[in-house]
């Protein structure tokens, strides 16, 4: 086992081990936003993190990037454990890992031009001092993401949402990162613009061998983008699998429910969806978690044991892990799991 | 080098053109600008445009005291025979001087403290700064200014000091709330995550976004500082004779109501005009500095 | 405490006094409402109030002499160190008890022991007071004094029994607060009027004391209300609405003209020994130079002052008012002369450096005309390169700053008025060598030698001889110009001549503060309103 | 009033006055809807969907100008209604679900208050209208599958999650019977599972109560599951209209084609390029076809002349000069 | 309810801290200035013994921190020492003058709130038409005219030119006497059933109250107008209209309530600005209120009174702030009062 891990080390960019993040609210309320999550992301690949609103997707991303201090657990990036305090992380690490936020409106300084917004990471991580050089690098980055050069002198608010998101990606690229965390980068955009942004992301990944931690709630999009898909429910993983496997044989009742709810455009797609499962209720409040399996309140296959005991993660086929009492498989040790 | 210098310039000037257009659409702001420009010009060139500049200093001509407005003295003369128009113009000058000095001290002090507290919200730095500010804000600024000015020797410097002491907390509070909300914006988070220093975050990320509210408030505050100064000088805690100040001109003029009304009315109109000007302009400034929307 | 301002006795008076119409009431503007304790307050307004609600053994006269008041007679001992006074019988306090020698002794002791207010007049002079019998009291002095009798016009007799019954906790040992709290808002006197309603900081209303021993004339006002009204505008409004009978005397000249023009309002002018002068701080550079002081004295355009700014006043050539016994017309001999001013300045040790100094001149707030004096001096002095800066300062702050030579303004416009009608009084108050300054001593010109000379003059019993000594003294020390006398002011009050007869208006009055506002000198005809 | 419930928008033109000119946002909009029909309205952001719907109810912002066109309901022009008639129309005939649930509920009133007063006018004037209204409100909250409706009635909007707020808005729209429902992106802020529930509810209502629905959305998938017919809108005009199945399976207009190609598919067929360019500048829109700058097939005539909606199949029309090519 | 209680405790705790800070600041400033408070208090002619006696009593011979402790100790018992101006305990003065000022300011606040709101609504409803234009022009000028200038102008107009108001100065015409119960003459005269006195009191109050209120009133009109205009295009209003809710109900309830919240939330500030302005206005009208007392105290270096007044005003504003916050939290459920500073 040990050896196995070491071998893989070269390849694994991000390794999240048993991550927990609780928020302590007034009046003693504790929000269990992330409750023991294990994830691994390999170089040049895309890990899709899917879940309903409030399931803890962003919290995982923010733990990784350093915006939140994890309550417990370890995050290993490029083989080195990340310090929970962002201020104590080496500069290089900060540059190697970048984030693109969901809201294109607030992710760039509205008082500065696109170029000025790009200049900061260029200076800080590209080591460039000369204004001419910075200018040229900024234009290069814009070209890279397919934006015209004139945009360098525009203000963020005067360009469209999709273009702004591309500019954010350009900014993220300024420090030559290894990993980009994309927190629902396209959910505020139109499909036509989304397509443009996603295409750009895919091209860049190939060109630069980037790794993406891609957060979304759009399973159709994920199908076309991710190498591996993980489903999150109430801060816990339900199912992880390679993309093809995931969509061809979804196992977890929740996954099935999600997939069956997606409105699709063509008949082919419809045939791919699992049998129509009546979707019921909504995601409970993480401050007031149900006992046992978090999903039992909505599950059509709920058993007695589900109400009292949280199921263990099981490997049902190589690389396909499911966390459900109703599914048979090889139990996995959550503490040291490689998912 | 030259090339890049030029290009941003032209984009900026285009933006400013657009902003100016937006500003000038509101004719009230334009009126404000005109008033302010006139007042400032009169203040700067007071020596040359007033008919009797010597009347703004140590001068008496009791034979000509209290004459009604006439061609020679368009606002009349006061109880010591001094030309009121001249004195009003010089009073503008002193009032503006006071406002400028008060604001140039209190704005940077207050703003920077507020931003620091806003960024470090929830920490002891926040607590110390904001509680200290609260103490100053717990009493209305003019009362504080009056109390301080009355304890010190009455003169312009001390009046300015007193007003400054009571003024900075407002900027602290203004930038505090702005900084608090901006520091939750993603671009500030991004800068933090990407290794931006504290100074970078204050001066490059947050401050530019506070500039618009600060400048707007500053423009409005020029009027209010002038009013506070006038109130102080009305009760004798500001500029001392023979230096003309709007407040002391009114307070000495009020003794001659209603017959020698010009003693009071013109300085009073002076105050109203100057505050009006800055108020109108202040509204326009926020238009002028509004962020570009698509 | 004095929170509720409804005196017990007011029930009878509220009924008839509810409408302004035909009431026999005199309302007068004063600058603040004093406490009613003669041992505490000494403001001008207090000195207006006291002679009306209290009585004194002797009364001042316009010619500077005194006549018997409560005293039936008095005798002085040969050495001038002991004085016996016999009281009139049957004088009643406002609470109906009779005034006895006890009360006189008590009043004197109290004034001295409290040490504020008018007490200073007697503090170092009276060694003891003895009650000889119920109606006879004896004052024993430390040193012979020719002026003691005159100064007794300021000993206001208070009701011993009443105050003793109202002692509260305080710093005076078994006397507690000496009745000071009680006297804050009510009186304990035997004067012609008694305090009816005291409204904190706002007004004080007095009403006729029917049992006053000296009686009243038919149309003496039933009531008087001294109101704290400073603002000119307010006074003018109230005067023109006939809501005010007498203005205060600090209005601007223009205002008097304006009021005079109103039907029924006239101006009453008084010379009550008020000498307008510029005190010069002789201990603070650069004013410590005699030549500079003289130079400034030459910078003043006295003619304009007298003719234009203060018409009706006359030039004063000494530190003593013209109407006071001992005035010397030749003590000061300067006129407006810029050349002489320049010549004096040239002799000064500050001749070359004068431009570096800022000379502060303070004028008393709320007396707008005085600013003009300062402005005039400022403008003229500027021609010599002397920088004067002008401050408008409330009287209380002047009192405050005058505590030491370092804080006293270089120059202050002051009115010196004697507390009794002799030059000696002014010498003592203005130039005796004190550690602690006060607004009278802002010249800081006192010295032990001067003190000795003053003491000698004051102790002289023969009045002619005393007068000569006063004159000599004046010439000697006014030579170095410790103050710049300007003029003797005509005090002007606008009053409702239409229905108020102020019998002493424009007549000579005793040269002490407050002596002109005696309610018994007023006759009111409410029906003429 | 004859109650056939037909609805038609004819050649509607709306512009917004702004500081530097007029934004000609809606430009010759045409729409027809039969009673009980569900019509989809798709289009990119900012192409005037909301503006069109708001004009129907007369709640356009004050800087909007309707320069021409008609909105016919039962044959009467809604745009010409006076206040009283308009009020009547709003009360009886037409309801709207707003796009943004967080701003559509007055933040400082309880759900109870908002719902009851919203219904007040449409209820018969009876003394106990309060009771009736309360009951109706509770039952319609139950209809939208909100748990514990009595508690939600007592809540303020900010105390509800986005999904709950959206369902409250829907409940308000369906609480009293109307003939026409304008649903402006009713599910954008919801998770797929909830979205499904809501769409089912609207579908059910439409069937049961013969409610005509105009459903505005970005999502072709939703259109496919919900509607009979669809209008594809671009920059203020309808580009293509037809039976939903037809349009989705064989789109005719270049814009529709591009749009459908952009949708990521569950089949994993990759991601399209996206449509190049942006929605035109409404200050100076192209004179001819508004799609011309982004259209790969654009010809000279496209720049000059506006295409009209023309038939290109059964119940299928497109506005394109290149129709049939 | 428990939330409110907790909120009170928290706010009061904070306020005590702030007031302590304020007292230190003001005490220090007042004691480091040159001058001997005892001598100032007793005046020029007092004998040295009398001054020394008072100095002992005021602990002036002790070090400054100890003086502060003594001062604070007695201040907490309501003893701020004696006033130089009135020679009475400062506390007694405040007890007497504060109601007068409050009475004036409450009337001014009433005028400002009611008429400000009415003008704002009228202006908003006539957005762009002439009543709006007229109100806006007046607003600009009204806001720009400092209250003391306004006071002078009112005095000129109603004192001289059209002397319709009985008099200036005081709270009642001389001769009208109302027994003091609450210190508020208006309430006292109602209690006494003396409605002539009430009318008279009102006549005395109206000009200074107007001088204080006009600026704020116009300010409020402007804010109300702009929030109403803004809010009237908010989705939640459109939604109401789309549902066929009558426009009267919308305007009077659903538009009005959210639109007044911004106005109300600055009410504490307005209140404090009125107290400031009362300093000059009371002086001009010789109205016997706390502000005039305070300005006299300040001008005469009456340090005991200055310290006390500043502190008392601090307390008054803290209360005003709390009250306004509570009102706002009642009106605006989004503001949870329990959450306190966050
Ligand atoms: N800073 C915070 N303080 C308290 N609770 C938080 C905080 N951030 C997140 N939470 C809570 O943690 C849970 C998970 O939040 P998170 O933002 O990670 O969800 P998400 O999956 O990203 O949802 P969405 O799709 O809406 O972005 C939510 O219940 C949220 O309320
Ligand atoms: N009040 C207004 N003033 C000026 N322009 C406006 C106004 N309201 C909307 N617009 C503009 O009109 C255009 C169409 O807006 P509309 O809201 O109708 O689009 P939409 O199709 O509903 O878009 P979305 O999908 O984003 O809701 C947009 O470009 C928008 O910026
Ligand atoms: Mg998220
Ligand atoms: Mg829309």
């Amino acid at each position: 086992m040990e050896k196995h891990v070491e071998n893989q080390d070269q390849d694994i960019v991000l390794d999240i081990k048993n991550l927990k993040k609780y928020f302590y609210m007034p009046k003693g309320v504790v929000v269990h936003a992330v409750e023991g999550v294990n994830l691994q992301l390999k170089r040049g690949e895309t890990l899709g993190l899917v879940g309903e609103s409030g399931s803890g997707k962003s919290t995982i991303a923010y733990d990784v990037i350093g915006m939140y201090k994890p309550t417990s657990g370890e995050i290993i990036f490029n083989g080195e454990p990340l310090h929970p305090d962002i201020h104590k992380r080496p500069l290089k690490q900060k540059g190697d890992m970048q984030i693109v936020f969901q809201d294109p409106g607030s992710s760039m300084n509205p008082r500065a031009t696109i170029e000025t917004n790009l200049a900061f990471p260029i200076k800080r991580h590209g080591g460039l001092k000369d204004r001419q050089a910075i200018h040229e690098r900024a234009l290069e980055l814009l070209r890279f993401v397919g934006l015209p050069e004139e945009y360098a002198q525009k203000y963020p608010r005067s360009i469209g949402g999709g273009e702004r998101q591309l500019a954010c990606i350009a900014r993220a690229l300024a420090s030559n990162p290894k990993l980009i965390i994309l927190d629902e980068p396209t959910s505020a955009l139109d499909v036509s613009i989304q397509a443009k942004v996603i295409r750009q992301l895919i091209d860049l990944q190939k060109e630069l061998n980037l790794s993406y931690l891609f957060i979304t709630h759009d399973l159709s999009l994920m199908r076309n983008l991710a190498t591996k898909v993980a489903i999150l429910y109430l801060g816990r993983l339900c199912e992880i699998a390679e993309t093809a496997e995931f969509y061809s044989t979804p196992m977890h009742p929740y996954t099935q429910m999600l997939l069956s709810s997606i409105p699709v455009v063509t008949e082919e797609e419809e045939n791919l969806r699992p049998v129509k499962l009546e979707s019921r209720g909504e995601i409970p409040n993480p401050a007031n978690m149900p006992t046992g399996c978090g999903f039992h309140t909505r599950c059509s296959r709920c058993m007695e044991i589900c109400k009292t005991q949280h199921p263990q993660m099981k490997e049902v086929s190589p690389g396909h892990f499911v966390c459900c009492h109703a599914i048979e498989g090889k139990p996995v040790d959550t503490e040291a799991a490689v998912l | 080098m030259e090339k890049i210098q030029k290009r941003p310039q032209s984009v900026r000037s285009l933006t400013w053109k657009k902003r100016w257009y937006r500003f000038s659409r509101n004719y009230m702001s334009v009126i404000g600008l005109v008033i302010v420009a006139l007042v400032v010009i009169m203040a700067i060139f007071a020596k040359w445009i007033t008919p009797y500049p010597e009347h703004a200093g140590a001068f008496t001509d009791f034979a000509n005291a209290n004459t009604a407005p006439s061609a020679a003295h368009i606002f009349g003369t006061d109880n010591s025979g001094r030309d009121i128009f001249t004195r009003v113009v010089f009073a503008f000058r002193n009032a503006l001087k006071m406002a400028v000095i008060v604001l140039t001290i209190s704005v940077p002090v207050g703003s920077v403290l507020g931003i620091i507290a806003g960024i470090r919200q929830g920490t002891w730095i926040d607590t110390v700064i904001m509680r200290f500010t609260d103490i100053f804000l717990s009493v209305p600024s003019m009362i504080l200014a009056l109390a301080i000015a009355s304890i010190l020797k009455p003169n312009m410097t001390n009046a300015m000091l007193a007003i400054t002491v009571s003024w900075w907390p407002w900027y602290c509070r203004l930038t505090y709330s702005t900084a608090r909300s901006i520091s939750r914006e993603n671009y500030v988070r991004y800068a933090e995550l990407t290794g931006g220093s504290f100074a970078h975050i204050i001066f490059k990320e947050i401050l530019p976004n506070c500039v618009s509210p600060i400048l707007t408030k500053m423009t409005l505050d020029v009027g209010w500082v002038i009013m506070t100064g006038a109130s102080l000088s009305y009760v004798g805690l500001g500029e001392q004779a023979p230096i003309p100040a709007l407040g002391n001109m009114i307070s000495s003029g009020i003794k001659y109501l209603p017959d020698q009304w010009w003693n009071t009315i013109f300085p009073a109109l002076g105050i109203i005009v100057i505050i009006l000007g800055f108020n109108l302009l202040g509204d326009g400034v926020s238009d002028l500095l509004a962020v570009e929307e698509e | 405490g004095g929170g509720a301002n409804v005196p017990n006795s007011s029930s009878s008076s509220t009924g008839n006094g509810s409408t302004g119409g035909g009431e026999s009431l005199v309302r007068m503007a004063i600058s603040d409402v004093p406490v009613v304790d003669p041992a505490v307050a000494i403001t001008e307004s207090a000195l207006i109030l006291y002679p009306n609600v209290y009585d004194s053994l002797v009364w001042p006269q316009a010619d500077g002499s005194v006549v018997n008041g409560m005293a039936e007679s008095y005798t002085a001992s040969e050495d001038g160190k002991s004085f016996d006074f016999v009281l009139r019988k049957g004088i009643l306090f406002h609470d109906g008890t009779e005034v006895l020698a006890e009360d006189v002794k008590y009043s004197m002791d109290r004034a001295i022991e409290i040490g504020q207010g008018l007490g200073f007049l007697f503090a170092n002079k009276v060694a003891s007071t003895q009650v000889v019998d119920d109606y006879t009291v004896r004052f024993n002095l430390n040193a012979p004094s020719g002026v003691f009798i005159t100064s007794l016009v300021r000993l206001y007799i208070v009701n011993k029994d009443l105050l003793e019954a109202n002692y509260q906790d305080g710093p005076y040992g078994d006397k507690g607060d000496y009745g000071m709290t009680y006297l804050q808002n009510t009186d304990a006197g035997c004067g012609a009027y008694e305090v009816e309603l005291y409204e904190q900081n706002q007004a004080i209303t007095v009403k006729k004391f029917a049992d006053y021993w000296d009686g009243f004339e038919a149309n003496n006002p039933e009531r008087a209300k001294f109101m704290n009204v400073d603002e000119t505008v307010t006074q003018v409004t109230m005067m023109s609405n006939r809501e005010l009978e007498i203005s205060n005397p600090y209005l601007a000249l223009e205002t008097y003209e304006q009021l005079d023009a109103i039907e029924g309002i006239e101006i009453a002018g008084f010379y009550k020994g008020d000498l307008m002068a510029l005190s010069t701080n002789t201990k603070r550079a650069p004013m410590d130079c005699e030549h500079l002081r003289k130079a400034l004295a030459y910078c003043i355009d006295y003619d304009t002052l007298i003719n234009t700014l203060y018409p009706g006043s006359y030039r004063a050539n000494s530190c003593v008012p013209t109407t006071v016994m001992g005035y010397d017309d030749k003590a000061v001999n300067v006129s407006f002369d810029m050349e002489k001013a320049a010549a004096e300045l040239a002799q000064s040790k500050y001749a070359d450096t004068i431009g570096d100094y800022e000379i502060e001149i303070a004028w008393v707030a709320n007396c707008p005309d005085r600013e003009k004096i300062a402005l005039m001096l400022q403008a003229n002095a500027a021609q010599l390169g002397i920088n004067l800066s002008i401050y408008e300062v409330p009287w209380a702050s002047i009192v405050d700053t005058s505590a030491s030579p370092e804080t006293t303004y270089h120059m202050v416009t002051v009115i010196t008025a004697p507390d009794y009608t002799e030059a000696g009084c002014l010498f003592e108050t203005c130039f005796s060598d004190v550690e602690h300054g006060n607004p009278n001593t802002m010249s800081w010109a006192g010295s032990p030698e001067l003190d000795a000379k003053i003491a000698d003059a004051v102790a002289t019993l023969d009045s002619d001889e005393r007068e000569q000594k006063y004159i000599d003294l004046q010439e000697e020390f006014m030579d170095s110009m410790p103050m710049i006398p300007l003029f003797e002011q005509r005090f002007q009050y606008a009053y409702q001549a239409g229905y108020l007869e102020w019998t002493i208006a424009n007549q000579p009055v005793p040269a002490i503060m407050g002596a002109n506002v005696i309610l018994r000198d007023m006759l009111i005809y409410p029906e003429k309103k | 009033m004859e109650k056939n419930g037909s609805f038609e928008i004819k050649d509607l033109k709306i512009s917004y006055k702004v500081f530097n000119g007029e934004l000609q946002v809606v430009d010759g909009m045409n729409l027809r809807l039969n009673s009980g029909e569900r019509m989809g309205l798709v289009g990119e952001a900012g192409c005037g969907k909301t503006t069109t719907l708001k004009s129907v109810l007369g709640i356009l912002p004050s800087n909007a100008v309707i320069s021409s066109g008609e909105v016919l309901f039962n044959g009467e022009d809604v745009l010409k209604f006076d206040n009283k008639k308009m009020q009547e129309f709003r009360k009886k005939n037409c309801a709207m679900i707003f796009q943004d649930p967080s701003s559509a509920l007055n933040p400082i009133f309880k759900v109870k208050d908002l719902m009851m007063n919203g219904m007040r006018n449409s209820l018969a004037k009876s003394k106990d209208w309060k009771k009736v209204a309360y009951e109706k409100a509770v039952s319609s909250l139950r209809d939208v599958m909100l748990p514990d409706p009595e508690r939600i009635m007592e809540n303020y909007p900010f105390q509800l999650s986005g999904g709950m707020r959206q369902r409250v808005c829907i409940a308000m729209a369906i609480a009293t019977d109307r003939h026409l429902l304008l649903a402006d992106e009713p599910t954008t802020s919801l998770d797929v599972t909830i979205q499904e529930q809501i769409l089912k509810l609207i579908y059910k209502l439409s069937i049961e109560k013969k409610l005509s629905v105009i459903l505005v959305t970005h999502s072709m998938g939703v259109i496919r599951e919900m509607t009979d017919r669809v209008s594809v809108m671009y920059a203020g005009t309808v580009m293509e209209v037809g039976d939903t199945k037809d349009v989705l399976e064989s789109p005719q207009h270049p814009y529709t084609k591009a749009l459908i190609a952009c949708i990521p598919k569950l089949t994993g067929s990759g991601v399209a390029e996206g449509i190049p360019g942006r929605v035109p500048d409404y200050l100076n829109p192209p004179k001819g076809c508004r799609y011309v700058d982004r259209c790969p097939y654009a010809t000279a005539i496209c720049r000059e002349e506006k295409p009209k909606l023309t038939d290109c199949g059964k119940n299928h029309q497109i506005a394109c000069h290149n129709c049939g090519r | 309810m428990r939330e409110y209680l907790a909120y009170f405790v928290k706010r009061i705790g904070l306020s005590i801290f702030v007031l302590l800070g304020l007292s230190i600041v003001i005490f220090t400033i007042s004691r480091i200035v040159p001058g001997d408070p005892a001598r100032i208090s007793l005046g020029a002619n007092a004998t040295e013994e009398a001054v020394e006696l008072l100095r002992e009593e005021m602990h002036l011979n002790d070090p400054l921190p100890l003086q502060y402790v003594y001062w604070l100790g007695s201040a907490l018992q309501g003893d701020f020492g004696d006033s130089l101006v009135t020679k009475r305990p400062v506390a007694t003065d405040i007890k007497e003058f504060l109601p007068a000022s409050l009475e004036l300011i409450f009337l001014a606040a009433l005028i400002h709130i009611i008429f400000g709101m009415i003008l704002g609504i009228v202006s908003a409803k006539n957005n762009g038409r002439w009543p709006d234009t007229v109100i806006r022009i007046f607003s600009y000028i009204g806001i720009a005219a400092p209250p003391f200038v306004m006071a002078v102008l009112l005095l000129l107009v109603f004192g001289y030119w059209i002397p319709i108001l009985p008099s200036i100065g005081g709270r009642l015409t001389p001769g009208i006497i109302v027994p003091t119960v609450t210190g508020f003459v208006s309430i006292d005269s109602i209690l006494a059933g003396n409605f002539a006195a009430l009318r008279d009191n009102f006549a005395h109050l109206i000009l200074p109250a107007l001088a204080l209120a006009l600026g704020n009133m116009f300010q409020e009109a402007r804010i109300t107008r702009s929030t109403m205009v803004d809010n009237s295009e908010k989705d939640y209003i459109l939604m109401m209209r789309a549902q066929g809710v009558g426009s009267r109900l919308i305007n009077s309830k659903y538009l009005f309530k959210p639109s007044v919240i911004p106005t109300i939330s600055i009410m504490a500030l307005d209140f404090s600005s009125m107290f400031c302005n009362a300093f000059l206005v009371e002086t001009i009208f010789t109205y016997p209120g706390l502000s005039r007392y305070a300005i006299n105290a300040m001008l005469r270096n009456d340090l005991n009174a200055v310290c006390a007044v500043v502190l008392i005003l601090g307390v008054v504003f803290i209360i005003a702030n709390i009250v306004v916050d509570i009102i706002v939290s009642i009106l605006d459920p989004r503001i949870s009062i329990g959450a306190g500073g966050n």
Side-chain angles (χ1 to χ4, degrees), chain B residues 57-60 62-63 65-66 79-80 82 153-155 233-236 240-242 248 251-252 254-260, chain C residues 231-233 236 252 254-255 258 284 304 308-309 360 363 366 368-369 371-373 375-376 378-379 382 388-392 409:
Chain B
F59 175 89
T60 53
F62 294 110
N66 283 323
N79 57 0
S80 300
R82 298 171 295 192
K153 194 171 176 179
N155 59 40
S233 95
Y234 180 90
V235 294
Q240 295 296 324
N248 70 22
S251 75
S252 57
I254 198 173
K255 293 169 184 125
Y256 301 94
L257 281 180
D259 288 4
Q260 283 88 26
Chain C
E231 300 292 318
T232 305
V233 201
V236 174
E254 292 83 353
T255 313
Q258 176 193 332
R284 203 175 144 200
T304 303
T308 313
L309 297 186
E360 302 161 341
W363 59 280
N366 282 328
D369 283 333
E371 182 182 18
K372 299 178 191 169
I373 302 173
L375 285 169
M376 169 199 274
Q378 185 187 43
L388 247 62
S389 49
I390 300 179
Y391 293 92
E392 176 185 3
Y409 286 94

Side-chain angles (χ1 to χ4, degrees), chain A residues 58 102 183-184:
Chain A
S58 302
Q102 168 179 9
D183 187 3
E184 311 197 31

Side-chain angles (χ1 to χ4, degrees), chain C residues 361-438:
Chain C
I361 176 165
W363 59 280
V364 180
N366 282 328
C367 306
D369 283 333
R370 298 194 197 168
E371 182 182 18
K372 299 178 191 169
I373 302 173
L375 285 169
M376 169 199 274
L377 181 56
Q378 185 187 43
N380 292 340
Q383 296 175 20
L384 300 180
I386 304 176
N387 304 325
L388 247 62
S389 49
I390 300 179
Y391 293 92
E392 176 185 3
V393 188
W395 182 244
S397 303
I398 290 184
V399 174
D400 179 20
T401 51
S402 63
S404 76
E406 293 77 37
T407 54
T408 305
Y409 286 94
H410 285 117
M411 304 174 91
V412 184
T413 63
V414 287
I415 288 190
T416 45
D419 288 299
Y420 50 88
T421 56
E422 269 190 36
C425 168
L426 282 172
F427 295 159
E428 282 188 313
T429 49
C430 300
F431 304 112
S432 52
D433 183 31
V434 284
E435 296 151 40
H436 241 296
N438 64 52

Side-chain angles (χ1 to χ4, degrees), chain D residues 50 99 184-185:
Chain D
T50 304
Q99 177 169 3
D184 191 359
E185 306 192 20

Side-chain angles (χ1 to χ4, degrees), chain D residues 16-18 23 25 43-52 61 63 99 184-185 218 282, chain E residues 233:
Chain D
Y16 288 112
K17 283 207 171 106
V18 288
L23 300 172
V25 170
E44 280 176 278
C47 67
K49 304 181 297 286
T50 304
T51 307
T52 309
N63 62 338
Q99 177 169 3
D184 191 359
E185 306 192 20
H218 285 152
Y282 286 121
Chain E
E233 302 216 331

